[in-house]
Amino acid sequence: MPQDMPPSGGYEAVQYKRNLPARGFRPATLLGAAGVIMIYGWYKLTLGIREQNEYAREKMWSRIHLIPLLQAEEDRDQVRRHLADQAREKELMGENFKVFHSDRYVRPTYAVTPKDISK
């Protein structure tokens, strides 16, 4: 009896792989998405830092421009207190005594003295 031989041209290839789509993300896709998110985060962070710097600069310049006004208010308060002190002194003692060597106004200075020495 003759032996069976393969057909001429051979048999078809055996399909051993499944024809399914790949599951999940590929690593390159995941890495690219993470990179895009990080770049966006750094962009927003730099914008926020620049805005904070601008606010700090604006705050500093507004304080610089307010210094003369605040100084004038303090001077007015000092003059008012000085005149009130002189009026109170005149009422109590009958006259004002000179405590400085000149007629020039001197801003009062306050020094803390220890309790035992000042008695």
Side-chain angles (χ1 to χ4, degrees):
M1 187 160 147
Q3 184 177 0
D4 286 338
M5 296 299 285
S8 59
Y11 292 108
E12 292 182 21
V14 177
Q15 183 182 356
Y16 62 92
K17 291 185 179 178
R18 298 177 67 185
N19 192 10
L20 296 175
R23 293 179 57 196
F25 289 112
R26 291 179 293 186
T29 306
L30 189 61
L31 188 63
V36 167
I37 290 172
M38 285 180 59
I39 289 172
Y40 178 73
W42 280 105
Y43 171 72
K44 294 300 273 185
L45 179 72
T46 54
L47 287 182
I49 289 172
R50 285 181 186 173
E51 188 175 2
Q52 282 182 345
N53 289 343
E54 183 64 25
Y55 284 152
R57 187 192 64 78
E58 184 177 337
K59 184 177 181 181
M60 183 179 17
W61 275 104
S62 65
R63 288 182 179 181
I64 287 171
H65 289 300
L66 281 176
I67 285 174
L69 176 70
L70 296 175
Q71 185 66 44
E73 286 290 325
E74 184 182 350
D75 292 346
R76 286 177 54 202
D77 187 50
Q78 290 289 338
V79 168
R80 181 188 60 78
R81 287 173 186 251
H82 180 69
L83 294 177
D85 286 344
Q86 282 188 345
R88 195 176 315 116
E89 182 182 342
K90 190 168 192 169
E91 182 183 326
L92 290 174
M93 301 182 135
E95 65 176 291
N96 289 335
F97 295 101
K98 287 182 71 173
V99 293
F100 298 110
H101 298 296
S102 68
D103 292 332
R104 215 176 84 177
Y105 176 76
V106 179
R107 180 185 298 250
T109 56
Y110 302 101
V112 178
T113 56
K115 184 178 178 183
D116 300 333
I117 297 175
S118 62
K119 285 187 178 180

